[in-house]
Amino acid sequence: MSKLVIDGKHKMEGEIYVQGSKNAVLPILAAAILSDGKNVIYNCPKLRDVDMTIEVLKNLGCRVKREKNSLEVDSYGIHSYTIPEELMRQMRSSIIFLGAIISKFGKAEISMPGGCEIGNRPIDLHLKSLRQLGVEITESHGFIHCHAENLQPAYIHLDFPSVGATENIMLAACMIDGRTTIQNAAREPEIADLQRFLNRMGAKISGAGGDTIVIDGVHKLYGVEHTIIPDRIVAATYLACAAVTGGTVVLKNADSSHMGAMMNVLKEVGCKVHADKSKIILLPAKKLTAVGTLKTMPYPGFPTDIQSPFMALMTQCDGTSIFVENIFENRFQHIEELVRMGADIKVDGRVAVVIGKSELTGAKVVARELRGGASLVVAALAAEGITEIENVKYIDRGYESIERVLSLCGIDIKRKE
Ligand code: EPZ
């Protein structure tokens, strides 16, 4: 099991080219099976989650070639409509293949995705929506059996603006004759990137980024080239790293229009943040000051994925910050590790109260999930002495070569097997 070893209190200075978005590329790779030809995806991040998605594509019969940060997916030879249990257990977000497989084959057999470290991750909204499109779904022996001899367009209202359910509906409906509408759709930028990709393939979808998406079915989709949008959560994580070290960092290939809520918080704590169309510059705060209450909300609200990295930042801010985690039921596992490093944080259910500023000290800590692991990296940069972070595999799911990125910005960080 590899670990990260970080010697804290080094100022972070430098330029970072922001990786492609994990949460954009995963549904786009699922969409790639809908064409009979080759798709080429540029700015594809090198992540464990992408590697696992490539395994799913190969299991379906696709040929996949990676050249640095470009991925070629040839779905000509696709022959399977199943995703086996071991692949689903490795990455539950493979549920995003369900709509695409149904669209392609008119049937699907996938293992129940189950929960993960941050919550039980139900898929009721996915299944309810697919049933409205005419999919017959039974669940037995731990598998979801889907048959769709007569898919039909539908007007679907989502009880919650679920990102995955929105994406699954888009993928299932894009080749159903007629008009499907999604009301109360998720508005995340990754949905708009999926719409761009599908429309380039020949689909007719509009409204992504807003709360109503309209899908007019087409008969065929073609292989295309596409560049993935930058990862807004990774970008904001590195801004938090710079902020706690009192450093200056320039993010290249960052899309500040996707990061309003997060950049507001960084400005409110006292950082100077300047942004133009594809660059963000963060200059240090004279003094980091707490911002009051941060409630995680669906986009464009304060993102749940940045809650834990920003909580580490708040331990370095003078004053009290209150985090309310409204999206996932178990997304505070990083707190006990931050407390081990000297943070003053009290938890009551979905509310965490952070009293800052606390002098953090290096310690042996354990990452228990992706963004919680990133939170420990942010804290380690601010801590006096050496921090060892176990279970780096979780961080590798979403951050491409985090130790290379940070060491190029003057951070003393090493990966030890
Ligand atoms: C996506 O997960 C992201 N993952 C998550 O990022 C992100 O935190 C989340 O959206 C919210 O923004 C990917 O895109 C691969 P949801 P997803 O469906 O689609 C409940 C990361 O760290 N819900 O919007 O699973 C659910 O339990 C990951 O990069 C139902 O109740 O999120 C949760 O409380 C973590 N029934 C809420 O909705 C359903 O059928 C949000 O889930 C579906 C969801």
Side-chain angles (χ1 to χ4, degrees):
M1 291 279 217
S2 55
K3 61 186 173 185
L4 290 176
V5 181
I6 298 171
D7 184 5
K9 296 272 186 214
H10 288 68
K11 196 172 274 196
M12 183 171 166
E13 308 272 12
E15 279 194 2
I16 295 173
Y17 185 88
V18 177
Q19 70 182 60
S21 164
K22 168 179 84 75
N23 293 347
V25 74
L26 298 184
I28 282 172
L29 290 177
I33 73 170
L34 295 176
S35 68
D36 285 337
K38 285 183 187 170
N39 289 283
V40 182
I41 310 297
Y42 299 110
N43 200 30
C44 177
K46 292 177 188 162
L47 302 169
R48 281 187 64 229
D49 274 15
V50 172
D51 295 342
M52 290 191 271
T53 303
I54 289 170
E55 285 315 303
V56 173
L57 287 169
K58 287 178 176 173
N59 181 68
L60 293 171
C62 298
R63 278 203 304 275
V64 184
K65 263 191 313 202
R66 180 195 273 282
E67 286 274 316
K68 294 200 178 73
N69 284 80
S70 303
L71 210 59
E72 182 185 280
V73 181
D74 184 350
S75 50
Y76 182 70
I78 194 166
H79 51 68
S80 166
Y81 55 88
T82 64
I83 300 183
E85 183 172 354
E86 66 273 15
L87 284 179
M88 277 308 280
R89 283 198 184 284
Q90 280 177 33
M91 190 179 69
R92 62 159 311 284
S93 47
S94 304
I95 186 70
I96 199 56
F97 274 93
L98 187 55
I101 294 173
I102 288 169
S103 220
K104 187 81 181 181
F105 292 102
K107 55 188 173 183
E109 291 278 332
I110 77 167
S111 162
M112 297 286 278
C116 74
E117 303 79 12
I118 63 174
N120 66 16
R121 312 296 289 274
I123 57 168
D124 56 309
L125 298 178
H126 296 247
L127 301 184
K128 183 178 165 189
S129 304
L130 292 172
R131 287 187 169 108
Q132 284 186 260
L133 293 171
V135 183
E136 288 155 40
I137 301 173
T138 54
E139 299 166 55
S140 65
H141 308 294
F143 269 76
I144 302 170
H145 313 272
C146 299
H147 292 276
E149 274 68 39
N150 56 348
L151 286 170
Q152 66 211 0
Y155 189 93
I156 299 171
H157 173 86
L158 285 174
D159 297 338
F160 180 87
S162 155
V163 171
T166 302
E167 291 164 345
N168 253 331
I169 299 165
M170 291 165 74
L171 291 166
C174 62
M175 292 206 277
I176 299 177
D177 278 342
R179 171 162 289 191
T180 293
T181 301
I182 310 172
Q183 205 193 33
N184 197 28
R187 299 169 54 189
E188 275 71 1
E190 294 76 32
I191 308 255
D193 208 23
L194 176 62
Q195 173 180 283
R196 266 190 297 278
F197 179 69
L198 284 167
N199 284 346
R200 198 167 284 165
M201 293 174 85
K204 287 192 175 52
I205 305 175
S206 58
D211 61 8
T212 303
I213 296 177
V214 175
I215 303 148
D216 290 319
V218 296
H219 295 136
K220 192 162 173 50
L221 294 176
Y222 301 88
V224 293
E225 301 189 355
H226 183 79
T227 299
I228 300 294
I229 57 171
D231 193 309
R232 58 195 168 96
I233 303 301
V234 168
T237 304
Y238 289 135
L239 292 177
C241 290
V244 296
T245 66
T248 298
V249 80
V250 178
L251 298 189
K252 298 174 80 172
N253 185 46
D255 189 334
S256 57
S257 69
H258 298 160
M259 299 172 60
M262 299 182 278
M263 286 169 54
N264 282 350
V265 172
L266 291 164
K267 290 173 188 166
E268 285 168 34
V269 302
C271 298
K272 292 172 197 56
V273 186
H274 307 294
D276 68 17
K277 60 184 185 320
S278 68
K279 202 161 69 175
I280 298 176
I281 302 172
L282 180 134
L283 301 162
K286 288 191 181 57
K287 189 161 83 67
L288 288 169
T289 312
V291 293
T293 300
L294 290 170
K295 295 180 180 174
T296 64
M297 303 296 283
Y299 192 90
F302 181 72
T304 174
D305 293 349
I306 208 65
Q307 175 257 109
S308 47
F310 272 30
M311 191 179 291
L313 167 60
M314 293 307 160
T315 69
Q316 301 307 294
C317 296
D318 282 343
T320 301
S321 305
I322 299 172
F323 285 82
V324 184
E325 174 50 65
N326 291 313
I327 307 294
F328 289 110
E329 65 268 30
N330 188 26
R331 210 165 196 180
F332 281 161
Q333 296 179 75
H334 52 288
I335 291 177
E336 64 178 292
E337 304 300 310
L338 293 177
V339 169
R340 273 174 69 82
M341 297 175 72
D344 181 353
I345 307 173
K346 302 279 185 300
V347 180
D348 181 356
R350 292 199 177 207
V351 178
V353 180
V354 181
I355 313 284
K357 168 176 179 160
S358 41
E359 293 306 326
L360 300 182
T361 52
K364 289 185 190 307
V365 291
V366 181
R368 302 199 191 280
E369 46 93 12
L370 165 54
R371 307 299 175 183
S375 169
L376 302 181
V377 172
V378 177
L381 302 188
E384 182 60 51
I386 303 285
T387 298
E388 292 188 4
I389 303 173
E390 298 283 350
N391 284 349
V392 186
K393 63 178 182 175
Y394 285 119
I395 301 173
D396 292 338
R397 293 189 57 179
Y399 294 83
E400 183 178 320
S401 315
I402 192 166
E403 73 277 16
R404 188 178 59 80
V405 171
L406 292 177
S407 45
L408 287 173
C409 290
I411 298 299
D412 182 345
I413 177 171
K414 293 178 188 60
R415 181 184 289 253
K416 293 237 166 93
E417 297 311 323

Coordinates of all heavy atoms in Angstrom, one line a residue, residues 268-269 287-294 310-311 313-323 344-346 351-358:
E268 N -13.4 35.2 0.1 CA -13.9 35.6 1.5 C -12.9 35.3 2.6 O -12.9 36.0 3.6 CB -15.3 34.8 1.7 CG -16.4 35.4 1.0 CD -17.6 34.5 1.0 OE1 -17.8 33.8 2.1 OE2 -18.4 34.4 0.0
V269 N -12.1 34.2 2.4 CA -11.1 33.9 3.5 C -10.0 34.9 3.4 O -9.1 34.9 4.3 CB -10.6 32.4 3.5 CG1 -11.8 31.5 3.6 CG2 -9.8 32.1 2.2
K287 N -4.1 37.6 6.0 CA -4.5 36.7 7.2 C -5.8 35.9 6.8 O -6.7 36.5 6.2 CB -4.9 37.6 8.4 CG -5.1 36.9 9.7 CD -5.0 37.8 10.9 CE -6.3 38.6 11.2 NZ -7.4 37.7 11.6
L288 N -5.7 34.6 7.0 CA -6.9 33.8 6.6 C -8.0 33.9 7.6 O -7.7 33.8 8.8 CB -6.4 32.3 6.5 CG -5.6 32.0 5.2 CD1 -4.9 30.6 5.4 CD2 -6.4 32.1 4.0
T289 N -9.2 34.2 7.2 CA -10.3 34.5 8.1 C -11.5 33.6 7.8 O -11.8 33.4 6.6 CB -10.8 36.0 8.0 OG1 -9.7 36.8 8.0 CG2 -11.8 36.3 9.1
A290 N -12.1 33.0 8.8 CA -13.2 32.0 8.6 C -14.4 32.7 8.0 O -14.5 34.0 8.0 CB -13.6 31.5 10.0
V291 N -15.2 31.9 7.3 CA -16.3 32.5 6.5 C -17.7 32.2 7.0 O -18.7 32.5 6.3 CB -16.2 32.0 5.0 CG1 -15.0 32.5 4.3 CG2 -16.3 30.4 5.0
G292 N -17.8 31.6 8.2 CA -19.2 31.4 8.6 C -19.7 30.0 8.2 O -19.0 29.0 8.4
T293 N -20.9 29.9 7.5 CA -21.4 28.6 7.2 C -21.3 28.2 5.8 O -21.5 29.1 4.9 CB -23.0 28.6 7.6 OG1 -23.0 28.9 9.0 CG2 -23.6 27.3 7.4
L294 N -20.9 27.0 5.5 CA -20.8 26.5 4.1 C -21.7 25.2 4.0 O -21.5 24.2 4.7 CB -19.3 26.1 3.9 CG -18.3 27.2 3.7 CD1 -16.9 26.7 3.7 CD2 -18.6 28.1 2.5
F310 N -11.7 21.9 1.6 CA -11.8 23.3 2.1 C -12.0 23.3 3.6 O -11.7 24.2 4.3 CB -13.1 24.0 1.5 CG -12.7 24.7 0.2 CD1 -11.7 24.3 -0.6 CD2 -13.4 25.8 -0.2 CE1 -11.4 25.0 -1.8 CE2 -13.1 26.5 -1.4 CZ -12.1 26.1 -2.2
M311 N -12.4 22.1 4.2 CA -12.4 22.1 5.7 C -11.0 22.1 6.2 O -10.7 22.8 7.2 CB -13.1 20.8 6.2 CG -13.4 20.8 7.7 SD -14.2 19.3 8.3 CE -15.8 19.5 7.6
L313 N -8.6 23.7 4.8 CA -8.2 25.1 4.7 C -8.8 25.9 5.9 O -8.1 26.8 6.5 CB -8.8 25.7 3.4 CG -8.8 27.2 3.2 CD1 -7.4 27.8 3.3 CD2 -9.5 27.6 1.8
M314 N -10.1 25.6 6.2 CA -10.7 26.4 7.3 C -10.0 26.2 8.7 O -10.2 27.1 9.6 CB -12.2 26.0 7.4 CG -13.0 26.5 6.2 SD -12.8 28.2 5.9 CE -13.3 28.3 4.2
T315 N -9.3 25.1 8.8 CA -8.6 24.9 10.1 C -7.5 26.0 10.3 O -7.0 26.2 11.4 CB -8.0 23.5 10.3 OG1 -6.9 23.4 9.3 CG2 -9.0 22.4 10.0
Q316 N -7.1 26.6 9.1 CA -6.0 27.6 9.1 C -6.6 29.0 9.1 O -5.8 30.0 9.0 CB -5.1 27.4 8.0 CG -4.5 26.0 8.0 CD -3.8 25.7 9.3 OE1 -2.8 26.4 9.7 NE2 -4.3 24.8 10.1
C317 N -7.9 29.1 9.2 CA -8.5 30.5 9.2 C -9.0 30.9 10.6 O -9.5 30.1 11.4 CB -9.8 30.4 8.3 SG -9.4 30.1 6.6
D318 N -8.7 32.1 10.9 CA -9.1 32.6 12.3 C -10.6 32.7 12.4 O -11.3 33.3 11.5 CB -8.6 34.1 12.5 CG -7.1 34.0 12.9 OD1 -6.6 32.9 13.3 OD2 -6.4 35.0 12.7
G319 N -11.2 32.1 13.4 CA -12.7 32.2 13.6 C -13.3 30.8 13.4 O -12.7 29.8 13.2
T320 N -14.6 30.8 13.5 CA -15.4 29.6 13.4 C -16.1 29.4 12.1 O -16.7 30.3 11.5 CB -16.5 29.6 14.5 OG1 -15.8 29.8 15.8 CG2 -17.3 28.3 14.5
S321 N -15.9 28.2 11.5 CA -16.6 27.9 10.2 C -17.5 26.7 10.5 O -17.2 25.8 11.3 CB -15.6 27.4 9.2 OG -14.6 28.4 9.0
I322 N -18.7 26.7 9.9 CA -19.7 25.6 10.1 C -19.9 25.0 8.7 O -20.3 25.7 7.7 CB -21.0 26.1 10.6 CG1 -20.8 26.7 12.0 CG2 -22.0 25.0 10.7 CD1 -22.0 27.5 12.6
F323 N -19.7 23.7 8.6 CA -19.9 22.9 7.3 C -21.2 22.1 7.5 O -21.4 21.4 8.5 CB -18.8 22.0 7.0 CG -17.6 22.7 6.5 CD1 -16.6 23.3 7.3 CD2 -17.3 22.7 5.1 CE1 -15.5 23.9 6.8 CE2 -16.2 23.4 4.6 CZ -15.3 23.9 5.5
D344 N -9.3 21.6 15.5 CA -10.3 21.7 16.5 C -11.7 21.6 15.7 O -12.1 22.7 15.2 CB -10.2 23.0 17.3 CG -11.2 23.1 18.4 OD1 -12.2 22.2 18.4 OD2 -11.2 24.0 19.2
I345 N -12.2 20.4 15.6 CA -13.5 20.2 14.8 C -14.5 19.4 15.6 O -14.1 18.3 16.1 CB -13.2 19.5 13.5 CG1 -12.1 20.3 12.7 CG2 -14.5 19.5 12.6 CD1 -11.6 19.5 11.4
K346 N -15.7 19.9 15.7 CA -16.7 19.1 16.4 C -17.8 18.7 15.4 O -18.2 19.5 14.5 CB -17.4 20.0 17.5 CG -16.4 20.5 18.5 CD -16.1 19.5 19.6 CE -15.2 20.0 20.7 NZ -13.9 20.6 20.2
V351 N -23.4 18.2 10.5 CA -22.8 19.5 10.7 C -21.4 19.3 11.4 O -21.3 18.5 12.3 CB -23.7 20.3 11.7 CG1 -23.1 21.7 12.0 CG2 -25.1 20.5 11.0
A352 N -20.5 20.1 10.9 CA -19.1 20.1 11.5 C -18.7 21.5 11.8 O -18.9 22.4 10.9 CB -18.1 19.5 10.5
V353 N -18.3 21.7 13.0 CA -17.9 23.1 13.4 C -16.4 23.1 13.6 O -15.8 22.4 14.3 CB -18.6 23.5 14.8 CG1 -18.1 24.9 15.2 CG2 -20.1 23.4 14.7
V354 N -15.8 24.0 12.8 CA -14.3 24.1 12.8 C -13.9 25.4 13.5 O -14.3 26.5 13.1 CB -13.8 24.2 11.3 CG1 -12.3 24.3 11.3 CG2 -14.3 23.0 10.5
I355 N -13.1 25.3 14.5 CA -12.6 26.4 15.3 C -11.1 26.7 14.8 O -10.3 25.8 14.9 CB -12.5 26.2 16.8 CG1 -13.8 25.6 17.3 CG2 -12.2 27.5 17.5 CD1 -15.0 26.5 17.4
G356 N -10.9 27.8 14.2 CA -9.5 28.1 13.7 C -9.0 29.3 14.3 O -9.7 30.0 15.0
K357 N -7.8 29.6 14.2 CA -6.8 28.9 13.5 C -6.2 27.8 14.5 O -5.9 28.2 15.6 CB -5.7 29.8 13.0 CG -4.5 29.2 12.5 CD -3.5 30.1 11.9 CE -2.3 29.3 11.4 NZ -1.4 30.0 10.5
S358 N -5.9 26.6 14.0 CA -5.2 25.6 14.8 C -3.8 25.4 14.2 O -3.6 25.3 13.0 CB -6.0 24.3 15.0 OG -6.5 24.0 13.7

